[in-house]
Amino acid sequence: MSHDFEAFMRQREAAANAYVNGDAKPLDALTTTSDPATFYAPSGDVVQAAAAVKARYGKDASFFRSPSKTHFEVLQSHSDGERAFWTGYQHAEVHLGDKPDAIPMELRITE
């Protein structure tokens, strides 16, 4: 894995932490602006097109609140200098809306 990709993954995980605390801006900065883009939401629906995915991320982040936390478990990744991917799990303990207790979440991710 290249140094640049390792740096990106640190930035991506930091963006995920901001997201589960209600701030979508760091993730928005990393999200593609070009189609095709697809988001398979934890609720089961599918969002397609870069602009729609960005809008959905912003809407969904508003449901989370502090103090929430998350981390990635990377199962496989590769970078060739031009393209890269990672796949694994996002483990989280999140606070949603007015619920008093943290809710555990485990999401399968490929990016």
Side-chain angles (χ1 to χ4, degrees):
M1 185 165 35
S2 74
H3 175 71
D4 288 344
F5 189 57
E6 289 175 14
F8 168 78
M9 286 302 297
R10 286 191 298 276
Q11 183 181 13
R12 177 62 183 88
E13 194 162 15
N17 269 296
Y19 185 84
V20 299
N21 283 282
D23 181 5
K25 289 182 196 111
L27 182 58
D28 188 57
L30 298 174
T31 302
T32 187
T33 57
S34 302
D35 290 329
T38 305
F39 172 55
Y40 294 90
S43 60
D45 59 320
V46 178
V47 178
Q48 294 183 315
V53 169
K54 277 187 171 229
R56 177 62 181 268
Y57 287 165
K59 177 184 169 217
D60 287 357
S62 71
F63 296 114
F64 295 104
R65 64 180 174 81
S66 293
S68 295
K69 60 184 177 180
T70 190
H71 71 278
F72 292 157
E73 176 186 352
V74 177
L75 299 177
Q76 186 177 19
S77 65
H78 179 75
S79 171
D80 68 7
E82 288 186 39
R83 290 172 293 276
F85 81 92
W86 77 275
T87 187
Y89 295 99
Q90 179 177 356
H91 303 281
E93 296 262 337
V94 300
H95 287 87
L96 291 170
D98 60 357
K99 296 187 185 327
D101 297 322
I103 299 166
M105 295 181 79
E106 185 172 295
L107 305 172
R108 178 77 165 79
I109 297 180
T110 298
E111 295 181 323

